[in-house]
Amino acid sequence: MTNQTRVGEQPQVYPSVAGVGMTAFTKNDERSLLELLTVAADRALKDASTPSENIDSLHVGNAAAEAFNSRSGFGNALAAQIGITNADTKRIENTSASGASAFLDAVDAIRAGRSDAALVVGGEKMSDADTATSTEIISRITHDAEYAQGITLPSFAGLATDRYLREYEADREDLAQIAVKNHANAAQNPYAQFENEVTVEDVLESPIVAAPLRLFDCCPTSDGAAAAVITSGGDGVQVAACESAVGTHAVADRSDPLMIESVRQAGKSAYTAAKVTPGDLDVACIHDAFSILEWLETEELGLAERGEAWRLTTDGTTARNGNLPINPGGGLKARGHPLGATGVSQIVELVWQLRGDAPNNRAVDSADIGLAINVAGFGNNTVCTILQGDAL
């Protein structure tokens, strides 16, 4: 693994995910953020059969509690709430990739021998803020120059979508099929925010957000939390790789607006660390905050040639019963996107799929290797994780 080379020659330690748990993602959960984090943590600990006193480190992923909820210190508060003492406890912030970054921090703690049992919890309660405040929080993720010009993440997604549809053979109806697919998957997921299926017509008739993107092409704001227990070896789904890369911060400075270098580099590093190729993957959770990102990231990860990812959607390859299911839990688009929870919820979904026990009997067929990609901003930073069901 690449992390072993960073700290010198050490015996390889392959962490495993011993248990997972999450809350349902909703538009407006009546519980506080601390309560959501606690529920997810308790479920993961129970799933792992691990008492809280056995946890050596607690890693909390959260993007903006100070802005959304007017408080901080959730790592310490959560430790006290679930009875963790004498453990390393910290909060990790990396905008919309905060959850996966917290997972990476926990994996590194296991790899380095600082922890034998780590608890990762990611969460966000976005409904505590009004629409104007939420919009401002998310807008500040962009580069300062872009923010000053009023450019938003939906703006970038709309421009990228327009460029992709003009440059390649896909059309607007093809793009709408991503939302159709992910809503259909979410409708079978009891933890997803959206329970309704949609049609291509529904997508194309929804309000314009950033032309040609419409409302059903965009993820919602959400409340929710997800958690995972990671241990040093033993039974459970193995963490074959967890790697991060930063990209060019200002989108205008990128050589190609359809290329997301952080996704490409994080994926390349993860493949190398896990000793697998894109063709080895059985299932993937892709960061589809906007529908176009599912295609762009699929191509950056080598799962499709440049300008060809759309064909995997239209021919059924990425459907839940296809050869490479993508976002079988509904993705950010339909499962929901509580910023700090999303990266951990992707891990939860992969673990369920690799164990074959996804709730509602919705496991994909014969999945042994899964990939999750969690992106900060519009590709400013990316964390890529590869999990393997069989022992490494």
Side-chain angles (χ1 to χ4, degrees):
M1 289 189 179
T2 56
N3 278 56
Q4 298 299 324
T5 61
R6 295 177 197 150
V7 295
E9 293 297 324
Q10 298 180 11
Q12 281 193 324
V13 176
Y14 291 102
S16 62
V17 183
V20 294
M22 62 183 289
T23 70
F25 287 2
T26 64
K27 178 180 180 180
N28 187 352
D29 200 300
E30 295 181 355
R31 294 167 292 187
S32 68
L33 176 56
L34 180 58
E35 289 172 320
L36 293 172
L37 295 170
T38 301
V39 170
D42 285 341
R43 289 176 177 174
L45 290 167
K46 181 179 180 180
D47 188 47
S49 298
T50 300
S52 58
E53 55 266 28
N54 287 6
I55 296 297
D56 299 314
S57 59
L58 172 63
H59 312 254
V60 179
N62 175 265
E66 291 81 4
F68 284 123
N69 318 114
S70 299
R71 78 170 280 188
S72 57
F74 278 98
N76 298 328
L78 180 60
Q81 189 75 12
I82 60 180
I84 292 178
T85 58
N86 301 318
D88 176 30
T89 301
K90 66 185 71 172
R91 170 192 169 189
I92 309 296
E93 183 278 317
N94 186 18
T95 69
S96 48
S98 296
S101 293
F103 185 82
L104 172 59
D105 192 66
V107 167
D108 278 346
I110 297 290
R111 287 168 169 168
R114 297 192 304 273
S115 180
D116 289 323
L119 174 62
V120 182
V121 190
E124 211 80 47
K125 184 167 169 56
M126 302 173 73
S127 67
D128 278 355
D130 58 35
T131 301
T133 301
S134 295
T135 300
E136 175 68 9
I137 294 167
I138 296 169
S139 295
R140 291 307 319 215
I141 293 174
T142 61
H143 188 278
D144 285 347
E146 295 164 343
Y147 175 81
Q149 295 296 326
I151 299 175
T152 64
L153 296 182
S155 299
F156 287 133
L159 291 168
T161 302
D162 179 69
R163 172 76 172 267
Y164 192 98
L165 297 181
R166 286 188 290 107
E167 194 160 318
Y168 302 118
E169 296 180 30
D171 60 28
R172 190 61 189 78
E173 288 75 14
D174 297 328
L175 184 69
Q177 291 190 41
I178 295 176
V180 173
K181 169 181 69 73
N182 290 346
H183 270 263
N185 290 341
Q188 302 300 315
N189 181 0
Y191 292 89
Q193 183 167 342
F194 292 120
E195 302 174 350
N196 60 305
E197 297 191 32
V198 298
T199 66
V200 169
E201 291 72 22
D202 291 331
V203 178
L204 298 182
E205 293 173 3
S206 63
I208 291 177
V209 174
L213 286 183
R214 293 178 175 268
L215 183 63
F216 283 177
D217 291 299
C218 307
C219 68
T221 57
S222 313
D223 296 345
V229 176
I230 310 172
T231 60
S232 54
D235 297 330
V237 172
Q238 306 295 305
V239 182
C242 190
E243 303 295 327
S244 180
V246 69
T248 302
H249 187 35
V251 176
D253 289 340
R254 298 176 187 177
S255 59
D256 186 336
L258 299 183
M259 296 177 67
I260 308 177
E261 61 183 313
S262 66
V263 172
R264 181 172 64 256
Q265 186 55 54
K268 181 179 178 181
S269 297
Y271 290 140
T272 299
K275 299 178 182 178
V276 301
T277 68
D280 294 322
L281 300 182
D282 300 308
V283 61
C285 290
I286 302 294
H287 188 104
D288 61 328
F290 306 98
S291 54
I292 189 63
L293 289 179
E294 184 166 309
W295 286 349
L296 298 184
E297 293 165 25
T298 295
E299 293 173 5
E300 293 290 16
L301 291 167
L303 301 172
E305 295 296 325
R306 186 73 58 190
E308 295 292 318
W310 65 275
R311 299 185 191 277
L312 304 186
T313 302
T314 58
D315 69 13
T317 297
T318 59
R320 190 156 56 91
N321 61 352
N323 290 332
L324 179 61
I326 289 180
N327 292 328
L332 285 65
K333 169 64 204 75
R335 182 186 56 240
H337 184 27
L339 299 179
T342 288
V344 186
S345 72
Q346 291 178 320
I347 300 300
V348 173
E349 178 65 26
L350 285 185
V351 169
W352 282 339
Q353 294 295 343
L354 297 177
R355 295 192 315 201
D357 61 359
N360 237 18
N361 297 315
R362 55 180 184 79
V364 303
D365 292 334
S366 304
D368 291 321
I369 300 176
L371 176 147
I373 200 89
N374 190 199
V375 176
F378 203 74
N380 309 106
N381 185 295
T382 295
V383 181
C384 184
T385 304
I386 295 177
L387 302 183
Q388 186 166 328
D390 297 329
L392 295 170

